[in-house]
Amino acid sequence: MRCLIIVYIQGETGVQKVATCYLRKCTKVCNELVTAQAVTTLLMVLNMRFILGRMRSLFIPVLVFVIVVFVVYKCAILIQIYGSLFFWETYVPSPPIPSQLRLWEDTPGLNEGDGAADLRSSRPRLLCMIITSPKYHSTRAVHVANTWARHCTRHVFLTSQHDPSLGETIMSPGQDTYDRLWYKVTSGFQWAYNNLEDIDWVVKLDDDTFLLVENLQEALKPYDPAKPQAMGMQLKTWEWDPPMSVYLSGGAGYVLSRGAVTLLAEKGLRDKECETEITVTKAEDVTMGRCLHHLGISLLNSLDEKGRQRFHVYPPLDVVDPRQELFWKHLWLRKISVHPYKFIEALVNYSPVTPTHVPPRRAKPF
């Protein structure tokens, strides 16, 4: 049962009709509306009901409009990038994905065993330091050990459990979590400092990164390993405060010269300057970047002569796909990359160093 309530108040010009309201049940409300407070309360209720009613009537049209705009936007992106709404094929570049340089293929007529050793000895000597953990030994690390790691001068795995299938390992018990990654990596550099007699550069990599060893050696040839230098993909933190905010991406891997490792181990770690002078964060690569800056270690340009990045945080097929230029998911990299990042269009004479997120099934012995 409903009753009709008409509210009148006494104004300067006489009695005025204020509002009309239907209530579900007839009560004594009609008699109680003689007070100003009751009139005010009723007017507020009426106003809220009007607003909510209008919102309910507009909700469905607005929701439909938003959905339509989103679908049209996504379709436009798909058409712009792939040329079709139904693009199921993987992009295959032409020419094919750049391959790792083989020393005996560089010189016509030179075979492995009759001169390749001399060419190899003239290139920088690399210690490859791979970060892994027991749960990834059989799915990642063992494939690294059987593929590109064999081309390093020496390679070692940082893990918390010994595994004969990996070869040489550095034990880091209790440091497999992301929060302890800084201490795990620095323990590796301390070990490397004590094993530098036949090493020019130390490369830090994750177990899902694929290193094209000879390409990195070619990139490092012009530089003196005795000087404190580092190379990698230079990024900046979101809180841009140069130059302390520049760091080398840990996912793409980075490389420190013999001089840089010595300075890091002696001043940064042994004298604890990288713990007392800077803030150690959960992000190992950001902390390492601040430490390198504090120690005065210079960052080398990782771009090739055509301005193409050698170190990458994407899988190989993304790196060489020029259509990725238009994809919104890469905006974060454009925002924080120190050097303009562009996906590769011309692959001629291109020698990348580290694609990342390489599935084990794509890592084949060579």
Side-chain angles (χ1 to χ4, degrees):
M1 180 179 180
R2 294 173 178 266
C3 68
L4 175 63
I5 298 179
I6 303 177
V7 181
Y8 295 91
I9 61 172
Q10 180 67 39
E12 296 180 355
T13 59
V15 177
Q16 299 177 356
K17 181 178 178 181
V18 176
T20 302
C21 177
Y22 287 94
L23 296 181
R24 293 184 181 276
K25 295 181 179 180
C26 291
T27 62
K28 297 182 179 180
V29 175
C30 298
N31 298 327
E32 295 175 355
L33 289 178
V34 295
T35 64
Q37 183 178 1
V39 172
T40 304
T41 302
L42 180 60
L43 292 177
M44 291 178 62
V45 171
L46 291 175
N47 191 39
M48 288 302 298
R49 285 185 175 179
F50 173 79
I51 294 175
L52 293 175
R54 297 289 291 181
M55 289 178 63
R56 280 197 298 269
S57 62
L58 294 176
F59 177 75
I60 298 300
V62 170
L63 180 61
V64 172
F65 176 77
V66 171
I67 294 175
V68 169
V69 170
F70 178 76
V71 171
V72 170
Y73 167 76
K74 295 298 292 185
C75 292
I77 290 294
L78 290 174
I79 294 174
Q80 188 177 21
I81 295 177
Y82 300 110
S84 171
L85 291 178
F86 307 100
F87 189 90
W88 305 108
E89 298 180 3
T90 300
Y91 176 78
V92 178
S94 179
I97 297 175
S99 61
Q100 182 166 232
L101 297 174
R102 292 274 72 85
L103 292 174
W104 51 94
E105 295 174 351
D106 292 348
T107 305
L110 182 64
N111 297 317
E112 177 69 8
D114 61 3
D118 294 334
L119 281 178
R120 183 177 286 111
S121 64
S122 66
R123 297 199 175 187
R125 299 166 297 178
L126 301 182
L127 168 60
C128 298
M129 193 170 64
I130 304 107
I131 312 299
T132 188
S133 60
K135 66 178 180 179
Y136 293 126
H137 283 185
S138 60
T139 58
R140 296 181 182 178
V142 69
H143 300 288
V144 171
N146 292 328
T147 54
W148 61 261
R150 299 184 301 173
H151 296 267
C152 301
T153 308
R154 186 177 182 181
H155 71 273
V156 62
F157 288 88
L158 273 70
T159 184
S160 60
Q161 181 178 317
H162 179 68
D163 189 335
S165 65
L166 303 183
E168 194 170 14
T169 56
I170 301 174
M171 303 304 292
S172 55
Q175 295 181 355
D176 284 334
T177 62
Y178 182 76
D179 294 350
R180 303 289 300 176
L181 186 57
W182 162 256
Y183 302 99
K184 184 174 184 175
V185 172
T186 52
S187 67
F189 279 115
Q190 287 176 317
W191 181 92
Y193 168 69
N194 297 319
N195 294 270
L196 286 177
E197 58 272 8
D198 297 320
I199 298 299
D200 297 317
W201 301 82
V202 179
V203 192
K204 177 267 176 186
L205 297 153
D206 293 336
D207 55 10
D208 63 345
T209 303
F210 194 100
L211 175 64
L212 293 104
V213 177
E214 282 83 354
N215 292 354
L216 177 58
Q217 290 174 319
E218 283 297 311
L220 295 174
K221 282 182 69 174
Y223 303 104
D224 183 3
K227 296 181 179 179
Q229 304 173 107
M231 179 184 287
M233 174 186 278
Q234 297 185 30
L235 304 178
K236 55 190 177 183
T237 60
W238 294 97
E239 302 81 16
W240 177 233
D241 184 21
M244 285 289 287
S245 297
V246 178
Y247 65 98
L248 303 177
S249 169
Y254 56 82
V255 53
L256 270 59
S257 67
R258 182 174 62 247
V261 173
T262 301
L263 194 59
L264 172 65
E266 293 180 354
K267 293 187 62 179
L269 303 178
R270 185 184 63 191
D271 298 342
K272 299 186 180 300
E273 289 192 18
C274 285
E275 293 185 13
T276 58
E277 300 296 332
I278 65 173
T279 302
V280 176
T281 67
K282 294 182 180 179
E284 171 271 327
D285 48 5
V286 174
T287 303
M288 181 62 72
R290 294 174 179 174
C291 179
L292 298 181
H293 172 75
H294 172 75
L295 298 174
I297 297 174
S298 59
L299 303 184
L300 300 174
N301 191 343
S302 60
L303 305 183
D304 67 5
E305 64 280 358
K306 294 185 178 181
R308 298 172 296 190
Q309 181 60 254
R310 289 189 173 101
F311 295 78
H312 297 280
V313 293
Y314 292 123
L317 287 178
D318 282 357
V319 171
V320 299
D321 188 348
R323 299 169 303 177
Q324 298 290 330
E325 292 278 357
L326 305 174
F327 223 161
W328 60 268
K329 71 177 183 179
H330 306 307
L331 292 177
W332 71 272
L333 184 58
R334 296 182 182 278
K335 175 69 175 178
I336 67 174
S337 180
V338 173
H339 301 112
Y341 189 88
K342 56 184 179 182
F343 291 88
I344 310 306
E345 296 183 12
L347 300 180
V348 179
N349 297 325
Y350 176 59
S351 300
V353 171
T354 59
T356 188
H357 301 302
V358 179
R361 60 185 176 82
R362 295 181 181 271
K364 300 179 180 179
F366 55 92

